Amino acid sequence: QVQLVESGGGLVQAGGSLRLSCAASGSIFSINTMAWYRQAPGKQRELVASITSGGSTNYADSAEGRFTISRDNAKNTVYLQMNSLKPEDTAVYLCNAHIVSTARSMTVYWGQGTQVSVSS
């Protein structure tokens, strides 16, 4: 079994910063791409940023220049540093990871989500 556990969400004023963390644990052989998505009320889930096992990153236009995704492969953890937050960044942020288990099967896992609220 594999689990993704997120932390770091909360309430912040516009212009502030938050750092999200997502740690994977369990029967892990390797982790390929890790990513952060978000879903605001009444809206579709959208990709915020992703990072490959080699460190290549990709950002949504809305996140480019304000958010930074990084990972610590030794800790099976992905981070999202969010700066210059705006009220429109308010959403549940979910961690996503493509994980190869010790049985050598690959599965896409999701975390439970962490709420980020930005007040104006």
Side-chain angles (χ1 to χ4, degrees):
Q1 274 288 41
V2 172
Q3 262 192 319
L4 298 182
V5 178
E6 297 125 332
S7 60
L11 174 64
V12 65
Q13 286 190 330
S17 298
L18 283 174
R19 188 191 193 210
L20 306 183
S21 300
C22 172
S25 62
S27 303
I28 298 170
F29 174 72
S30 65
I31 304 178
N32 298 331
T33 298
M34 304 183 83
W36 287 96
Y37 286 74
R38 68 186 182 187
Q39 187 161 20
K43 294 189 176 181
Q44 286 192 327
R45 186 172 296 184
E46 62 175 358
L47 174 68
V48 177
S50 64
I51 184 168
T52 68
S53 57
S56 295
T57 58
N58 179 57
Y59 294 93
D61 289 345
S62 59
E64 189 78 57
R66 298 188 299 127
F67 295 1
T68 302
I69 189 170
S70 61
R71 64 191 283 173
D72 184 333
N73 291 329
K75 295 182 179 179
N76 290 334
T77 299
V78 63
Y79 306 96
L80 185 68
Q81 177 67 43
M82 303 186 292
N83 299 327
S84 302
L85 282 161
K86 305 174 182 179
E88 51 263 44
D89 294 318
T90 295
V92 174
Y93 283 70
L94 302 108
C95 175
N96 166 286
H98 293 65
I99 295 176
V100 179
S101 70
T102 51
R104 300 304 191 266
S105 64
M106 197 190 80
T107 305
V108 179
Y109 290 91
W110 290 90
Q112 80 286 356
T114 185
Q115 177 69 45
V116 171
S117 298
V118 184
S119 63
S120 56

